[in-house]
Amino acid sequence: PPGTPLLPLLLLSLLAPRGRGQSFGQTRFVCTSVPLDGDMCAPAATAAGSGSPEELKSTVLQLRETVLQQKETIMNQKETIRELTAKLGRCESQSVLEALPGEAKGGGAGRKGGFAKNTMGDLSRAPAAETLSQLGQTLQSLKTRLENLEQFSRMNSSSQTNNLKDILQNKIDDLEKQVLSRVNSLEEGKFNPKNESEERGKIESTLTSLHQRISDLEKGQKDNRPPDRFQLTFPLRTNYMYAKVKKSLPEMYAFSVCMWMKSNASPGMGTPFSYAVPGQANELVLIEWGNNPMEILINDKVAKLPFVINDGKWHHICVTWTTRDGVWEAYQDGTQTGSGENLAPYHPIKPQGVLVLGQEQDTLGGGFDATQAFVGELAHFNVWDRKLSPGEVYSLATCSTRALSGNVIAWAEANIDIYGGATKWTFEACRQLN
């Protein structure tokens, strides 16, 4: 009747999905006038011709069943998507591990040479295949040295020399078989990574032993060579080739570090030397890492050095420093190229540390990272506990007979131990200058 409040009621059939296999015939819209306080479900509310309550109830049950079926389908699809996503993630992770040689796992937060790098412990490890390739090159280097000794052996009738050469050759052959076996295991998927560290340690130990015995044999050719006329060669970017200075540094309030270097490694020649003390792995470090310029670190404080030496030629460099105001100077080939101050001011260099050539230390005497290894040749590494004068630096760079040896660390074969296949050769740069 006019003036009576009405509430339009749409049958639930309007909500029914119109998907495949769920047709309920032609849809009808039925409007019924219902008082505000009336019962919408009461029989009296049903208009004539709109169907019996039983039919409406049946329709509602069908709709409810359809909704439940669709909900179950959606849940199954979500579960399938989760499974596929997980599988895709595993595939992507495996692809990244295979595609990124030598990348650090887990990242780092510390600073080293301008990179996000934790220099106190986040060590990167080259993949096994790359490591095997490096070991193979090292073995080839040792074999070449043995071949160079053959002529000397022929001239020396000592049976002891010949027997030693044969023994070394047999050991190298055995090592080559081990490397080949590991390569085959990798290619066939049989390699167990759990045993990699142990096997690698054994091979590196054998390499060090072989190198030392070959060096002893080579000394027969070098008896007349001055004790300082030698150079160290690091042909590969590894985390096991290095040299260690037998003597530690004393407490120093000033220093001068000078050396000859030759490298064309890219990016960055690596770490010519690092000095670590208990509690501070970066007490004194010279490093060129990544695309950054060479840097000197003192107690983890950094100064960039204006050196341009990555050209495959011999260069003489010196860095001097004093704790008073942290003043430093840099010399290349006898000429001062840069200076600065506030580099670890009033911090004395601490004693009782480990001085390593060719590697950057993340822990005392170890924790080497192949990405920071020095690649090239190094000679005449000398350390003084004072600032050298420009004239003294020039004498060193020109190989003058007036040049001084370091009063803290002097370059001599007896003061250096070498490991992992690094080699000693006769130093030729000064001979070329003289």
Side-chain angles (χ1 to χ4, degrees):
T4 304
L6 300 178
L7 179 64
L9 177 64
L10 297 181
L11 293 177
L12 291 175
S13 61
L14 292 175
L15 302 175
R18 301 185 181 275
R20 236 175 354 189
Q22 297 188 14
S23 175
F24 300 108
Q26 185 175 0
T27 303
R28 294 187 302 165
F29 299 85
V30 180
C31 296
T32 304
S33 299
V34 180
L36 288 175
D37 57 351
D39 185 0
M40 293 173 59
C41 296
T46 306
S50 63
S52 64
E54 287 75 12
E55 291 176 343
L56 292 175
K57 185 176 181 180
S58 175
T59 301
V60 170
L61 292 176
Q62 289 178 351
L63 291 173
R64 181 180 296 173
E65 183 178 355
T66 300
V67 171
L68 292 175
Q69 290 175 350
Q70 290 183 340
K71 183 177 181 180
E72 183 178 358
T73 299
I74 291 172
M75 295 299 294
N76 291 337
Q77 290 175 342
K78 287 184 177 180
E79 183 63 28
T80 301
I81 290 172
R82 280 195 294 268
E83 292 178 359
L84 291 174
T85 302
K87 291 179 179 179
L88 179 61
R90 288 194 295 270
C91 290
E92 289 177 342
S93 299
Q94 183 64 29
S95 298
V96 170
L97 289 174
E98 294 174 353
L100 297 178
E103 289 293 312
K105 307 303 186 294
R111 181 189 185 281
K112 172 65 72 176
F115 285 76
K117 173 73 173 66
N118 179 0
T119 61
M120 293 301 292
D122 187 351
L123 311 181
S124 68
R125 293 291 180 262
E130 182 179 347
T131 301
L132 291 174
S133 175
Q134 294 171 346
L135 288 173
Q137 294 180 52
T138 303
L139 289 172
Q140 184 59 44
S141 174
L142 291 175
K143 289 183 68 176
T144 301
R145 292 172 67 189
L146 277 178
E147 291 171 1
N148 292 336
L149 288 169
E150 287 182 352
Q151 184 175 1
F152 171 77
S153 298
R154 295 191 195 101
M155 296 173 61
N156 189 334
S157 60
S158 170
S159 61
Q160 181 179 1
T161 301
N162 291 324
N163 291 337
L164 178 57
K165 185 181 75 67
D166 293 338
I167 292 173
L168 292 174
Q169 183 65 62
N170 291 335
K171 286 204 170 188
I172 288 179
D173 292 341
D174 291 340
L175 273 176
E176 286 184 318
K177 292 178 183 178
Q178 292 182 39
V179 172
L180 181 61
S181 175
R182 295 182 71 192
V183 171
N184 292 336
S185 297
L186 278 172
E187 292 177 347
E188 297 173 4
K190 298 179 181 179
F191 185 72
N192 182 4
K194 294 182 179 179
N195 297 328
E196 179 182 5
S197 297
E198 182 178 353
E199 293 185 16
R200 178 177 171 177
K202 291 179 180 179
I203 289 180
E204 291 173 8
S205 176
T206 306
L207 280 174
T208 299
S209 175
L210 277 172
H211 163 75
Q212 189 59 51
R213 298 185 70 179
I214 291 176
S215 296
D216 292 341
L217 185 57
E218 289 173 331
K219 284 180 181 178
Q221 299 172 304
K222 304 174 182 178
D223 289 339
N224 297 324
R225 187 179 72 188
D228 64 340
R229 189 173 294 176
F230 75 101
Q231 68 186 48
L232 299 180
T233 300
F234 304 91
L236 304 172
R237 198 180 295 277
T238 73
N239 61 357
Y240 54 84
M241 284 188 181
Y242 67 102
K244 182 185 293 186
V245 179
K246 296 180 180 180
K247 184 179 178 182
S248 178
L249 298 180
E251 185 174 61
M252 296 189 299
Y253 295 85
F255 69 73
S256 297
V257 179
C258 300
M259 72 200 78
W260 284 89
M261 286 195 302
K262 177 182 177 182
S263 177
N264 59 2
S266 178
M269 67 174 62
T271 309
F273 77 89
S274 65
Y275 176 67
V277 297
Q280 177 54 276
N282 298 324
E283 182 69 5
L284 179 56
V285 181
L286 184 67
I287 184 171
E288 185 183 73
W289 194 52
N291 294 313
N292 284 340
M294 184 165 284
E295 298 175 336
I296 185 79
L297 284 77
I298 299 176
N299 192 32
D300 234 354
K301 306 303 185 294
V302 183
K304 297 184 183 299
L305 305 177
F307 292 147
V308 183
I309 53 181
N310 194 8
D311 57 4
K313 299 179 181 179
W314 280 106
H315 293 281
H316 187 267
I317 66 167
C318 277
V319 179
T320 69
W321 172 87
T322 177
T323 186
R324 183 177 177 83
D325 295 326
V327 175
W328 60 271
E329 297 173 345
Y331 295 82
Q332 178 176 331
D333 297 328
T335 302
Q336 183 175 331
T337 57
S339 62
E341 57 184 14
N342 288 324
L343 175 58
Y346 304 103
H347 170 83
I349 302 299
K350 297 178 181 177
Q352 305 304 317
V354 177
L355 182 56
V356 168
L357 306 179
Q359 295 284 353
E360 194 272 333
Q361 303 174 65
D362 281 339
T363 58
L364 186 65
F368 303 145
D369 184 337
T371 64
Q372 297 175 326
F374 175 71
V375 180
E377 296 165 274
L378 185 151
H380 283 269
F381 176 85
N382 287 274
V383 181
W384 294 260
D385 58 2
R386 62 180 179 86
K387 292 182 64 175
L388 295 182
S389 69
E392 290 173 322
V393 173
Y394 184 79
S395 294
L396 290 165
T398 55
C399 301
S400 169
T401 55
R402 298 189 301 272
L404 302 174
S405 296
N407 67 331
V408 174
I409 300 294
W411 185 248
E413 287 196 66
N415 296 338
I416 306 293
D417 287 330
I418 54 178
Y419 301 91
T423 56
K424 291 180 182 178
W425 300 98
T426 302
F427 179 61
E428 302 291 344
C430 281
R431 180 179 297 179
Q432 295 171 5
L433 290 175
N434 292 331

